[in-house]
Every structure is written in structure tokens, then in C-alpha cells.
Amino acid sequence: MPSPRNLPFGRRRFLEWIGAAAVTAGLPSMIARATDPFPAAAPAPEPSPAYANSRFVSSSGNDASPGTQDAPWQSLARVRSALEAGEVGRGDAVLLRRGDVFPGSLQMPAVKGPAGVFTLSSYGPGALPQINGYKVSSDAWTLHSPQVWKLNLRPGSGQFSGNTDGASTNVGFLKAGGEIRGWKRWSLSGLVQDWDFYSDDTFVYVKLPASPGAGVEIAVKQEGLRPASNTVTSGVHILGHGGHGVRTYGIQDAEISGCLIEEIGGSRLKDTTRYGNGVEVWIGCSNVLVQGNTIRQTYDTATTMQGNIEGPRVAWTDCRFVGNTIENCNQSFEIWSHGTPAAGTGHIRCAFTDNQCRDAGYSWAANIRPDQAGMGTHLLTYDVQLPCDVEIARNQFIGAKDNFVRSSGSGRQIPAGIRIHGNTIALASGQKIAYQNPETIEQLDAWRSRTGNSQS
């Protein structure tokens, strides 16, 4: 671990929580960065003979091609159809060409085959291949009313490029000139400030004195990637999705590693509730590993295990988040569960370990979400009703808008069964350790005594 004087943070209290020991020191302040401190995820390996069958995809390819490296496929839709037809399956790989952009999203069907895993990864030199959800405006905006412009987001409208097959018109955010514009309004009458936007079943409407023009990137409600059981996804860049970046649902034996996941969320979930997480592991999953990814700029949390009991889906078993870099998300890690506790329900042998989490609560959505109180936090435990068996250990939690932990319920206590130990935490002087708890970071011992969190 680097010494406190080498860490780029201003006036803070540095806490190294290892068992009952605590060390304090002043640190420089740093909330906004002018440069990107995190490089793209490490390159994935080149194709290996271990794959029984490798297929290649390039933005300059053709879906009628055989999918060889010399004659690659072109689209994510072709990858899905190949999985559905069993052209590729367990033991095989599909490799996306580095430096290429693949518009849309990929929801994997059940992977066929008797053994092994299906691998989605990358090949060639350059930046990670993008699974890019943005619809990109052409210069086709029309004036709807004074200083309100509209663009047709339906497939086939001809008014946008990029994710042309994406059916959703539920906009999470806009990106123009490299800046995310997140002020989603719920009616046309709510468009007041420049770059306020509203979307209905056909159009997105934007408040501006002049046309927004070509090149506005528009994130709509969809998941960038939904892996299937028996899969490994590594070395891809997932961005521009108004729903979740990655969502696992009722699967087992899956890995997401070495990916870059950013610019996620903001679409309408229901009524006036917006949502969007970097990686969401829903109830009913087992043996899911999320490792070595970089996750940043999400509407909600970077990583989460959540859900309510749904038929046979009653638990999270052996689900782990390991060695990820998390930056500028509203929360770093979330746990919530609903249902009636019983044997075999809840979180079983789950873990969040060896992750680097920085500047919680400073995402693109931090100042526009309606529920801001205490939500700029690294650890969020929310309405936890099912048993917990979760280890949170050896992480670095550096900088937060509000607090280190926000828990719901009586007394705002961390639920039993969540074991927090060996973490490094840095908060600003005078900042609260836990939401609606009285103790500041300087009063760690008092907080431990009152709450019983002696092993944090």
C-alpha cells in the first residue's frame, strides 16, 4: 500500500482499519480529475488452441462470412444467432476486434454444449472493443416548440446512427461534446434549462436555443451485456447504456473480468424512479466472479447483489467481486434483499474483496438524482431481509461525498452476517462514518463501541 503522503487526496483523515487497529494521517484533497487515472483493462489473451472453435467479429466484417479471422462476422446480432443455433457453444470463443465499435447490446441465450465455458473476448492490437449502446443523432432535429427540439428514436426513423436496432426510446442521459447531460424531465413542461430533456414512446426532446445538431450520443434503456451460465466475458468495453452495464440473472458459473464499464444508467424504471448499475448480480445466481474490471460513472452503484425471492431464486451463492477498480459511481457496493428468511436463502459465501473504490458520490448523476441524502457512499445496505454471509475485506475506500456506509432500518446498523475487516478507508476531516450516525471519522473508537463494529 502506498504511503499516505503519496496518495493524491487533500485534507482528509486516513484510516487503516485492520482488526481493531487504526492509523490516522492528513491527505491532500482530490475530487475532480483533469486526466484519466485508470488505463483500459489489461489485454485479453490471443486465441488459444484451448478453444474448440473460435469465431471473429469486426466492424468491417460481414455477417454472411464464415467468421474466420480473414473473413469475420460484423455484428452482435450475429453472435447471438450463432449461440442460439449452436454454431458456437461451451468450449468455444467469439473474439471481437480491438479498436472496433459494436453498436447495441448482447443478451446471451443459454449456451449449448456438454462441457466447458463459452468465452467472449477480444483479438488484435488497440483499445478494447466497444459494446456501445449510444444512439447518435444526425442533423435531423426538428423544432417542436420555441427552443424545444425533437428527434425520432424509433428504429428505422433514419434520424440516428450507432445503435440503430435498439427499440427503446426511454432515454437515460445525453452526451454532447464529451459532457454528460443528465437532467431528465418527466414532461415537456418541465424543460426549463438548456439541455433538459424528456422522452416519450417516439421522440427525445431537448431544450436549447438552437438545434443540438449531429453527434449527440443518446443512452437508452437496455443492458449492455447479459451473460449466460457457463461463460467468461473478458477484455471488452461496455458503455452508453441507460440501464445496467452488465446484469446476471439466474445463472451459474460465469465470469466477467478485465472489462471497462462506464457511462451507465439514468433511464426510467417506473414512475419517476431512475436506475442503472455497473454490474448487477440478481438473486438466483451462483458461482459468479466479477474480477479485475474498471467501473465508473454509473447512475447508481458500481456493483450490487440484490433482488427479492422469486420462485426457486432464493439466494446468491459463491458470488464474488474481486480486484476491481471503481471510480466516480454513486455507491461502490450494494446489498439488498427482500423475502421471508429460511434455510438456504440470502447471501451464501459471498465476498467483496481487494477492490479499489474512489470518490463515491461524484458520478455524472450525483447532483440530479432525487434521493441524495447520504447516498454518496461506498457501502450501501438497503432493506436487507434475508440472511447475509458476506465478507468485505482488504478493499481501499478512498473519498466519498457523504459517508463510508449507509444502512437502512432501525439504528442504521450494518446487517448481521456482513463481516468488514482489513479495509483502508479515507474520508475528509469531520465526515460521518455512517449515515445518520453521530460519529465523525475522528470518533472511530466511539462508533465501534456503540455499534459493535470492532472488526471493521
Side-chain angles (χ1 to χ4, degrees):
M1 185 181 71
S3 67
R5 66 175 179 272
N6 292 329
L7 292 172
F9 301 95
R11 179 75 185 154
R12 298 176 188 262
R13 299 290 292 178
F14 177 84
L15 290 176
E16 184 175 327
W17 290 6
I18 303 177
V23 179
T24 64
L27 295 172
S29 181
M30 190 278 304
I31 298 304
R33 293 185 178 86
T35 58
D36 181 358
F38 298 116
E46 288 294 320
S48 164
Y51 301 136
N53 174 27
S54 295
R55 300 298 177 97
F56 298 82
V57 192
S58 169
S59 58
S60 59
N62 188 314
D63 283 347
S65 296
T68 63
Q69 190 164 358
D70 291 334
W73 295 334
Q74 184 183 43
S75 71
L76 298 174
R78 184 67 179 89
V79 176
R80 179 176 173 84
S81 68
L83 286 165
E84 289 174 337
E87 290 180 76
V88 290
R90 298 179 67 175
D92 300 335
V94 167
L95 305 173
L96 308 180
R97 187 170 181 266
R98 283 176 165 262
D100 285 3
V101 175
F102 299 93
S105 62
L106 179 60
Q107 181 171 335
M108 295 182 186
V111 178
K112 299 178 181 179
V117 298
F118 167 75
T119 299
L120 178 71
S121 192
S122 59
Y123 74 100
L128 298 182
Q130 292 183 9
I131 297 178
N132 190 315
Y134 284 121
K135 298 185 176 186
V136 184
S137 70
S138 62
D139 193 9
W141 299 86
T142 57
L143 191 64
H144 176 75
S145 60
Q147 298 191 43
V148 175
W149 302 82
K150 68 180 181 180
L151 187 81
N152 190 326
L153 293 180
R154 284 186 173 274
S157 73
Q159 296 190 1
F160 61 93
S161 59
N163 182 16
T164 54
D165 293 332
S168 177
T169 64
N170 180 347
V171 177
F173 62 89
L174 311 174
K175 186 178 178 184
E179 183 177 352
I180 292 180
R181 309 285 187 167
W183 279 109
K184 184 181 181 78
R185 305 301 188 181
W186 305 109
S187 66
L188 281 168
S189 62
L191 302 180
V192 178
Q193 309 174 95
D194 284 357
W195 288 107
D196 283 0
F197 68 89
Y198 164 72
S199 59
D200 59 20
D201 291 339
T202 301
F203 297 98
V204 59
Y205 304 82
V206 179
K207 170 78 171 178
L208 275 178
S211 170
V216 178
E217 296 174 296
I218 305 165
V220 297
K221 183 180 180 180
Q222 64 182 23
E223 298 159 1
L225 175 70
R226 183 180 285 193
S229 296
N230 306 302
T231 62
V232 171
T233 301
S234 68
V236 298
H237 184 183
I238 299 169
L239 78 161
H241 301 275
H244 304 307
V246 178
R247 189 186 192 219
T248 68
Y249 184 85
I251 66 171
Q252 61 185 8
D253 302 328
E255 177 180 325
I256 301 97
S257 62
C259 295
L260 173 59
I261 302 164
E262 62 180 345
E263 299 174 9
I264 298 298
S267 291
R268 176 178 178 175
L269 181 63
K270 61 179 182 179
D271 302 322
T272 58
T273 300
R274 302 170 72 177
Y275 79 113
N277 303 314
V279 180
E280 178 177 287
V281 178
W282 194 255
I283 194 169
C285 292
S286 65
N287 194 26
V288 173
L289 175 63
V290 181
Q291 183 170 27
N293 305 285
T294 295
I295 307 170
R296 54 191 175 197
Q297 294 293 356
T298 63
Y299 181 86
D300 274 323
T301 186
T303 57
T304 180
M305 290 186 289
Q306 61 176 262
N308 50 280
I309 287 178
E310 302 169 322
R313 298 187 180 96
V314 300
W316 301 257
T317 306
D318 297 309
C319 296
R320 296 166 292 148
F321 300 83
V322 182
N324 301 286
T325 296
I326 293 168
E327 177 189 42
N328 293 101
C329 297
N330 269 302
Q331 302 93 36
S332 298
F333 180 50
E334 176 191 24
I335 298 171
W336 76 259
S337 62
H338 283 180
T340 302
T345 65
H347 296 88
I348 302 170
R349 297 187 304 275
C350 294
F352 184 84
T353 56
D354 302 292
N355 302 284
Q356 294 189 20
C357 308
R358 303 185 179 183
D359 293 343
Y362 292 98
S363 84
W364 66 266
N367 296 322
I368 64 174
R369 54 186 299 138
D371 54 338
Q372 294 184 29
M375 295 298 286
T377 189
H378 284 294
L379 175 60
L380 177 65
T381 65
Y382 183 75
D383 286 359
V384 176
Q385 297 178 354
L386 300 176
C388 285
D389 173 11
V390 182
E391 181 182 29
I392 300 176
R394 302 180 303 281
N395 305 287
Q396 291 192 15
F397 297 108
I398 310 297
K401 180 172 176 283
D402 296 313
N403 31 250
F404 162 61
V405 59
R406 186 187 196 277
S407 298
S408 63
S410 176
R412 301 283 179 177
Q413 296 296 298
I414 297 171
I418 298 178
R419 304 178 305 283
I420 306 176
H421 63 93
N423 300 288
T424 299
I425 298 149
L427 297 177
S429 296
Q431 207 163 10
K432 296 292 183 66
I433 298 169
Y435 178 64
Q436 291 193 348
N437 279 206
E439 295 87 3
T440 67
I441 201 69
E442 292 84 0
Q443 298 167 317
L444 171 64
D445 289 341
W447 181 74
R448 281 178 169 156
S449 177
R450 186 178 61 80
T451 64
N453 288 291
S454 60
Q455 294 299 312
S456 297

Short mmCIF file of all heavy atoms in Angstrom, two decimals, residues 335 381-382 384 386 388 407-408 413-419:
data_model
loop_
_atom_site.label_atom_id
_atom_site.label_comp_id
_atom_site.label_asym_id
_atom_site.label_seq_id
_atom_site.Cartn_x
_atom_site.Cartn_y
_atom_site.Cartn_z
N ILE A 335 -25.89 -4.08 -1.18
CA ILE A 335 -26.57 -5.33 -0.85
C ILE A 335 -28.00 -5.00 -0.48
O ILE A 335 -28.24 -4.15 0.38
CB ILE A 335 -25.90 -6.05 0.34
CG1 ILE A 335 -24.46 -6.44 -0.01
CG2 ILE A 335 -26.69 -7.27 0.76
CD1 ILE A 335 -23.68 -6.95 1.19
N THR A 381 -26.22 -0.78 2.31
CA THR A 381 -27.04 -1.94 2.65
C THR A 381 -28.47 -1.45 2.79
O THR A 381 -28.75 -0.59 3.61
CB THR A 381 -26.55 -2.63 3.93
OG1 THR A 381 -26.72 -1.77 5.05
CG2 THR A 381 -25.10 -3.02 3.81
N TYR A 382 -29.36 -2.03 1.98
CA TYR A 382 -30.67 -1.43 1.80
C TYR A 382 -31.75 -2.49 1.97
O TYR A 382 -31.80 -3.47 1.21
CB TYR A 382 -30.74 -0.80 0.40
CG TYR A 382 -32.02 -0.09 0.10
CD1 TYR A 382 -32.30 1.16 0.66
CD2 TYR A 382 -32.97 -0.65 -0.75
CE1 TYR A 382 -33.47 1.82 0.39
CE2 TYR A 382 -34.15 0.02 -1.03
CZ TYR A 382 -34.40 1.24 -0.45
OH TYR A 382 -35.58 1.89 -0.72
N VAL A 384 -32.30 -5.01 3.85
CA VAL A 384 -31.83 -6.39 3.84
C VAL A 384 -32.73 -7.25 4.73
O VAL A 384 -32.74 -7.09 5.95
CB VAL A 384 -30.36 -6.47 4.31
CG1 VAL A 384 -29.91 -7.93 4.38
CG2 VAL A 384 -29.46 -5.68 3.35
N LEU A 386 -33.07 -10.87 4.04
CA LEU A 386 -32.61 -12.26 4.00
C LEU A 386 -31.26 -12.38 4.69
O LEU A 386 -30.54 -11.39 4.84
CB LEU A 386 -32.52 -12.73 2.55
CG LEU A 386 -33.83 -12.70 1.76
CD1 LEU A 386 -33.61 -13.11 0.31
CD2 LEU A 386 -34.89 -13.59 2.41
N CYS A 388 -27.39 -12.86 5.63
CA CYS A 388 -26.16 -12.42 4.97
C CYS A 388 -24.99 -13.30 5.39
O CYS A 388 -24.83 -13.60 6.57
CB CYS A 388 -25.83 -10.98 5.32
SG CYS A 388 -26.85 -9.76 4.49
N SER A 407 -26.75 2.51 5.79
CA SER A 407 -27.61 1.35 6.02
C SER A 407 -29.02 1.83 6.33
O SER A 407 -29.21 2.87 6.97
CB SER A 407 -27.07 0.50 7.17
OG SER A 407 -25.79 -0.01 6.87
N SER A 408 -30.00 1.08 5.90
CA SER A 408 -31.39 1.42 6.20
C SER A 408 -31.83 0.69 7.46
O SER A 408 -31.08 -0.10 8.03
CB SER A 408 -32.28 1.04 5.02
OG SER A 408 -32.24 -0.36 4.80
N GLN A 413 -27.95 0.21 11.22
CA GLN A 413 -26.88 -0.73 11.52
C GLN A 413 -26.53 -1.58 10.30
O GLN A 413 -27.40 -1.95 9.50
CB GLN A 413 -27.29 -1.64 12.67
CG GLN A 413 -27.50 -0.93 13.99
CD GLN A 413 -26.23 -0.28 14.50
OE1 GLN A 413 -25.25 -0.96 14.78
NE2 GLN A 413 -26.24 1.03 14.61
N ILE A 414 -25.24 -1.91 10.16
CA ILE A 414 -24.81 -2.87 9.15
C ILE A 414 -25.42 -4.22 9.51
O ILE A 414 -25.30 -4.68 10.64
CB ILE A 414 -23.28 -2.95 9.11
CG1 ILE A 414 -22.69 -1.61 8.69
CG2 ILE A 414 -22.83 -4.04 8.14
CD1 ILE A 414 -21.19 -1.52 8.83
N PRO A 415 -26.11 -4.88 8.58
CA PRO A 415 -26.79 -6.14 8.93
C PRO A 415 -25.82 -7.20 9.43
O PRO A 415 -24.66 -7.29 9.01
CB PRO A 415 -27.41 -6.57 7.58
CG PRO A 415 -27.56 -5.29 6.82
CD PRO A 415 -26.39 -4.45 7.20
N ALA A 416 -26.31 -8.01 10.33
CA ALA A 416 -25.54 -9.14 10.84
C ALA A 416 -25.17 -10.06 9.69
O ALA A 416 -25.94 -10.26 8.76
CB ALA A 416 -26.35 -9.90 11.89
N GLY A 417 -23.98 -10.61 9.78
CA GLY A 417 -23.52 -11.53 8.74
C GLY A 417 -22.66 -10.87 7.69
O GLY A 417 -22.06 -11.56 6.87
N ILE A 418 -22.59 -9.52 7.68
CA ILE A 418 -21.67 -8.81 6.81
C ILE A 418 -20.41 -8.55 7.63
O ILE A 418 -20.44 -7.80 8.61
CB ILE A 418 -22.27 -7.50 6.29
CG1 ILE A 418 -23.50 -7.81 5.43
CG2 ILE A 418 -21.24 -6.72 5.48
CD1 ILE A 418 -24.20 -6.57 4.90
N ARG A 419 -19.32 -9.18 7.25
CA ARG A 419 -18.07 -9.12 8.01
C ARG A 419 -17.11 -8.16 7.31
O ARG A 419 -16.67 -8.42 6.19
CB ARG A 419 -17.45 -10.51 8.13
CG ARG A 419 -18.41 -11.53 8.74
CD ARG A 419 -17.80 -12.92 8.82
NE ARG A 419 -17.31 -13.42 7.54
CZ ARG A 419 -18.06 -13.89 6.57
NH1 ARG A 419 -19.40 -13.91 6.72
NH2 ARG A 419 -17.53 -14.34 5.47
#
